[in-house]
Amino acid sequence: MGRHSRILRPIVDHEPVSNGHDDLIRALYQEFGSSLMAFVLKLTGHDRQWAEDVVQETLIKAWRNAGKLDRQPEMLRAWLFTVARRIVIDGWRSRSARPQEVEELESDSIGVPDESEKTLAAMIVYEALRDLSPEQREAVQQTYLRDRTVNEVAATLGVPPGTVKSRIHHAVRALRRALQERG
């Protein structure tokens, strides 16, 4: 308490006049400004600009109420932190009550998704699949496109699982080559 008393003592000893109010605000900011800012930063989600506005508004309220304030440092600190917390709460409420402002975009700048890359890729893969043998294409379609296991495909096609694996292996190599050739 000694530190607080020393800083605020000149203000406590005499009744504030217009000059005294200014001295009070300077003393409050010097004594509590950094801790008040840290407190408000946490409340505002670390929005520095908003926090600075809240601290400023809190000190303005202290200036307006200078004649009514209890000048004990502990009471001043509690009053400042309570006022700041209420200002932030009001800010959160007003932000949630009205829709967030959005800049209006010019129609020229509105992006339309370009599906041409996907379409081109699908066409290239389709052509590469057509170049496979019918057995390889069936093995790839059953395993990759229909998400079946090698054993399920083998049972459907009536061939051993090793044959399905071999067809898939050769088909993937052929597809890789074909796709590299097509870019």
Side-chain angles (χ1 to χ4, degrees), residues 142-143 147-165 168:
Q142 291 287 329
T143 55
D147 200 29
R148 294 185 175 162
T149 66
V150 170
N151 289 337
E152 289 172 337
V153 174
T156 302
L157 298 177
V159 296
T163 303
V164 174
K165 288 180 187 179
I168 292 171

Side-chain angles (χ1 to χ4, degrees), residues 85-174:
R85 185 175 58 79
R86 288 179 180 162
I87 292 169
V88 171
I89 290 170
D90 289 346
W92 282 117
R93 285 180 182 155
S94 68
R95 285 180 179 199
S96 64
R98 67 173 179 258
Q100 189 171 0
E101 296 175 12
V102 179
E103 275 188 46
E104 187 175 329
L105 297 175
E106 293 186 29
S107 60
D108 294 347
S109 66
I110 297 174
V112 177
D114 183 8
E115 299 291 325
S116 63
E117 289 290 324
K118 287 183 182 177
T119 304
L120 183 59
M123 289 171 56
I124 291 171
V125 170
Y126 177 76
E127 286 177 14
L129 280 169
R130 271 194 357 216
D131 292 343
L132 296 176
S133 71
E135 294 82 12
Q136 290 173 338
R137 188 172 37 255
E138 182 67 24
V140 168
Q141 287 176 338
Q142 291 287 329
T143 55
Y144 288 104
L145 302 178
R146 294 193 183 140
D147 200 29
R148 294 185 175 162
T149 66
V150 170
N151 289 337
E152 289 172 337
V153 174
T156 302
L157 298 177
V159 296
T163 303
V164 174
K165 288 180 187 179
S166 177
R167 288 178 183 174
I168 292 171
H169 172 76
H170 291 293
V172 169
R173 285 181 60 197

